[in-house]
Amino acid sequence: MSETVSTHYDAPDLIARIKAALSDAGLSPETVTADQLAPIEEFHVGGRMATDALFRDLDIRPGERALDVGCGTGGTSRHAAAQFSCMVEGIDLTESFIRAGRTLTDWLKLDGKVRLHCASALDMPFEAAKFDLGWMLHVGMNIKDKQALFAEIFRVLKPGGRFLVYDIMRGEDETTPLAFPVPWAGRQADSFVRSPHQYEAVLRSAGFATIRTEPRRDIADAFFAQAAEQAGKPRPAISLALIMGETARDKFANLKRNYEAGRIVPVAIFCEKPR
Ligand SMILES: C[S@@+](CC[C@H](N)C(=O)[O-])C[C@H]1O[C@@H](n2cnc3c(N)ncnc32)[C@H](O)[C@@H]1O
């Protein structure tokens, strides 16, 4: 399973591509800002707008220790560290994402606050009860064993620790097969999209409490409307296509098609480890 995930996302020349895109946009690694990089910093439905909306409810405080599970290149980790002055550790299975992420962290001078590790979410290199809070954005679709995933997350959170899941889940049509490829998988056999009820049951059995589930059609609708406005215009140099690779258009088109058919919906779940 792990090998398939890394192979799907692998982008060995990502930093070279980002440098070329910066140059096309008249920018440079020495002076680039977080806002200029934002379009490639968040690899989930709604991008930075979604992150900001969801983080408002996480109540992140300065100095807190935060965990970003499946951080990709670490854009959300950097954004949280810069916005809230928290310390963030991100983990991701895809080694080329972590390598690129460390370079981006240096460019944005956030290396004192953000540490990125190449590791599996099912076996994290952290002691028990290390984190005050954490999040996992658009990762569960890649992980079959959600029981093991949430047990591991529960282990590394402190009692009272808050956790946010924001994943693509099954919509009102839970049975029609999805169209592939999508951003997280090239084929059905590598996709583990589940319903909000299935997530809630697994979270509860891992020990989490205060579970609040919010399907976020508002975020998805705004995201797809914004994309529709861009249709037909030249693609900006700095876009998620840099990360999604050759098949970016097909993956995005299927994401939208599956969403509009009610087969998937982005859902936020806020939960807490009991004290
Ligand atoms: C769609 S990307 C989302 C990245 C990031 N969370 C964001 O929203 O920008 C999914 C990420 O999950 C990572 N991933 C998938 N399965 C994983 C696992 N078992 N352990 C750690 N990372 C995993 C992938 O490598 C990929 O970077």
Side-chain angles (χ1 to χ4, degrees), residues 212-225:
R212 195 176 87 236
T213 301
E214 297 176 354
R216 296 304 302 251
R217 289 192 182 78
D218 55 333
I219 292 176
D221 290 342
F223 177 66
F224 289 121

Side-chain angles (χ1 to χ4, degrees), residues 5 9 43-44 70 72 92-94 97 119-121 137-139 142-143:
V5 168
Y9 289 107
F43 189 1
H44 46 260
D92 200 283
L93 209 49
T94 304
F97 276 2
S120 167
L137 310 185
H138 282 39
V139 181
N142 283 125
I143 300 178

Side-chain angles (χ1 to χ4, degrees), residues 7-187:
T7 311
H8 174 76
Y9 289 107
D10 195 25
D13 58 347
L14 186 53
I15 283 296
R17 280 194 265 154
I18 295 173
K19 278 186 178 164
L22 287 178
S23 161
D24 289 348
L27 302 169
S28 80
E30 290 73 33
T31 56
V32 73
T33 64
D35 284 346
Q36 288 163 339
L37 284 174
I40 56 166
E41 290 282 81
E42 317 269 355
F43 189 1
H44 46 260
V45 167
R48 181 139 295 169
M49 172 261 287
T51 307
D52 285 336
L54 297 168
F55 275 6
R56 270 197 286 279
D57 280 358
L58 260 185
D59 185 27
I60 309 175
R61 295 180 284 269
E64 281 193 315
R65 286 179 171 204
L67 167 67
D68 184 351
V69 177
C71 62
T73 58
T76 310
S77 302
R78 285 184 286 280
H79 186 55
Q83 291 297 299
F84 303 106
S85 249
C86 56
M87 311 293 291
V88 189
E89 306 225 28
I91 64 118
D92 200 283
L93 209 49
T94 304
E95 208 244 327
S96 52
F97 276 2
I98 292 296
R99 251 186 297 120
R102 288 178 182 146
T103 302
L104 293 166
T105 303
D106 285 345
W107 290 357
L108 294 182
K109 300 172 187 60
L110 283 166
D111 40 313
K113 287 195 175 138
V114 175
R115 290 183 60 199
L116 303 180
H117 312 264
C118 186
S120 167
L122 303 177
D123 183 17
M124 292 192 267
F126 305 123
E127 72 267 21
K130 175 167 186 176
F131 296 100
D132 298 292
L133 78 154
W135 55 85
M136 184 183 88
L137 310 185
H138 282 39
V139 181
M141 306 88 76
N142 283 125
I143 300 178
K144 186 174 182 187
D145 191 349
K146 292 184 181 36
Q147 192 79 48
L149 168 68
F150 289 119
E152 180 63 349
I153 292 170
F154 189 87
R155 182 185 72 80
V156 299
L157 284 174
K158 291 180 186 173
R162 298 99 72 202
F163 198 78
L164 160 70
V165 179
Y166 176 55
D167 272 355
I168 298 289
M169 301 188 194
R170 286 302 308 223
E172 61 270 23
D173 174 356
E174 291 196 18
T175 51
T176 305
L178 307 186
F180 286 90
V182 286
W184 63 91
R187 52 185 191 147

